[in-house]
Amino acid sequence: MIEAFLNGFSMMLAPNVLLVMLGAVVVGLIVGILPGLGGTTTLALLLPFIWGAKPEIALGLLVALNAVVFTSGGITAILLNIPGENANVPTLLDGYPMNKKGEGARAIGATVMSSMLGGVLAVFLAIGMVFLIKPIVLAFKSPEVFFMVIIGISFIAVLTGDSVIKGLISGGIGILLSFVGYHAMTGVPRFTFGSVFLYDRIHLAVFVMGFFGLSEMMNLIIGGQASISERGDSKIRLRDTLEGVIDVFRHWGLWLRCSILGYLVGIVPGIGAGTATWVAYAQAKQLSKTPEKFGTGCIEGVIAPEAADNASAAGSLLTTMIFGIPGSSSGAILLGGFMLVGVVPGPSMLTDSADLLFALLAGIAIANLIAGFICMGTASYLSRIAFVPIDFIFSIVVAIVLVASVATGDALLDLVVVVAAGLLGLGMKRFGYSLAALALGFVLGELFEYYFFMALKLTGPLFFLKPICLIEIALLVGIFAYRPFMAFWGKRYGRAK
Amino acid sequence: MRIKASSYFLIFLLAVVAVVIVASLGMPYYESKLLPLIVGGITFVLLAVELWRELHTGGKETPLTKAEEAEDKELSRRTATAIAWVFGATLGVYLLGFIAAITLFILAYLKKQGRSWQVSLAVAIITSALIYGIFQFTLGFELYEGIIYNTITR
């Protein structure tokens, strides 16, 4: 095993592999920064280029791209309020307000360092847990995953925004939106009202671009600001980025907790980084001494989801390799890529191809380091976007969002979706609803329904009586009891004083 | 009694969720309608509770001062302007295609904001060229050319 470990690492440290990884990081960063063209698209576009390549070269290219797109996705979330990947949505809740306060470089520094270290730590966790992963993954069947999804949505609905009712309304509307289109189980078209375009569901990336990006652009115009940043001073130095880097070490406990949490959520098949980042954000807020600062530009709100983000990517990749079950759409493309070069995922990876498995893990660590240093070097330049006059930003971003929506969704009617999502986002923002809860409901709605019926059909109507499910239900009760309990505790404590 | 704008938004959401519930009832299999009915029903009740709370606690507004009224009007004007620009750009794309509409949209918007012709034109052309270069040339996406162009060349 030690030999396989050393072989795997030396494979990835070969100069030609490192060069390919460097190239992949640069390409991934450039494409990842464009709104709407996230990691999945980039991976899909580059898949034909690995045909016939040596496995270590192909693995290097794929894992490097996979690592950098999550990092670059966090940067666009901070700069423009447009997440590169669904997993980056929680980052914008505090990252974008920080950018508005003129702290964009600091937020990017924290994002990059948190994801870089999270990704590297996850690799060591993966190496340590390579033989423990099987029982963990097998313990999570449909009922357990169903409750995980409910916990994710409830966390955000209850914890974001001032009103629990508005949070739950947002989450409910998000789930209802995810029901639009063909129902996979019965083949019934739901809420399509005769439109063939809607049969294929509302495209998530298109919706998110409109809901967060377009709505924020309109919001900036309505607010009459001169630039995204509300701070006049446009001097951004490397020192600001380093401040963000240091913030991660200042909150090392939070970073460690979220990295481990992200990794553990990542290894559960079918969940992915999209849930891991929300769970990390919610628990960071719940355990914070100053939860009221979350959502206003709080550095912990950036560190938490980004640590979970890359850590879950590593966890998800391990499940993909050992069980052949991808945790996300990008995982599915990676799986296809591995098979293209003759690497067949499955339990035999632990015995016959252990060196390739370790090479893959080494690749994730190296790619995270390369991506981290490149992003850190460019952060102070990228964050200057916050000081560009708003009329330039508005016109250019609206143009890019319109093009990217059609390019991503591959239909002209996606223009209607992106504009409608923008108007909905604008309304919800203006009247104090939780955009985060709606987005999460929309992201997880399909899984919510799928795992509900799987659990019902495979385990029967009493599926919630399984031990892990009961623990999850207790956690769910805790989430809803949290606010009333804290209010009661505050009153009692106040009186005692 | 003046009803708040947020109450109108709630009524709109209530109507949408009501449509979802009614549409769910007509679906053929229980698997297809069960969760839309449960989630839709819960959301409807929550919306109704929120609307009731708004109308009974903060729904009735005290008369606005002249300054507040002017501020309200200005906010509505800006909102309508922002939405109009986005609608205009979208309609432009449908009629003229991406490259022509985006060039015109950026040029018109920047000119309206008081930028010089040179700056407006330069930003419009550079952005359109970049969009063409990245999306069509590099990534191979076929950029839509507009209904007018398609009708003429058909």
Side-chain angles (χ1 to χ4, degrees), chain A residues 68-87:
Chain A
V68 75
V69 291
F70 283 118
T71 312
S72 60
I75 295 175
T76 54
I78 291 165
L79 296 178
L80 298 168
N81 206 33
I82 299 175
E85 290 288 314
N86 305 326

Side-chain angles (χ1 to χ4, degrees), chain A residues 34 37 45 166 183 190-191 221-222 389 391-392 394-395 403 406-407 412 419 431 433 449 453 457, chain B residues 6 9-10 20 24 27 29 31-32 35 43 50 75 78 90 98 102 105 109 115 123 134 139 141 144:
Chain A
L34 291 173
L37 288 177
L45 288 169
K166 282 185 175 177
H183 183 225
R190 298 187 296 186
F191 316 117
I221 296 296
I222 295 164
D391 47 349
F392 289 118
F394 175 78
S395 55
V403 180
V406 176
L412 196 62
V419 173
F431 302 123
Y433 290 84
E449 190 171 33
F453 282 109
K457 294 199 167 169
Chain B
S6 58
F9 187 69
L10 268 168
V20 166
S24 306
M27 284 174 192
Y29 304 104
E31 288 99 332
S32 59
L35 286 185
T43 311
E50 186 63 24
L75 192 70
R78 280 196 203 145
T90 314
F98 279 111
I102 282 169
F105 163 68
Y109 185 77
R115 300 278 168 195
V123 175
I134 293 168
L139 298 173
F141 288 120
Y144 176 67

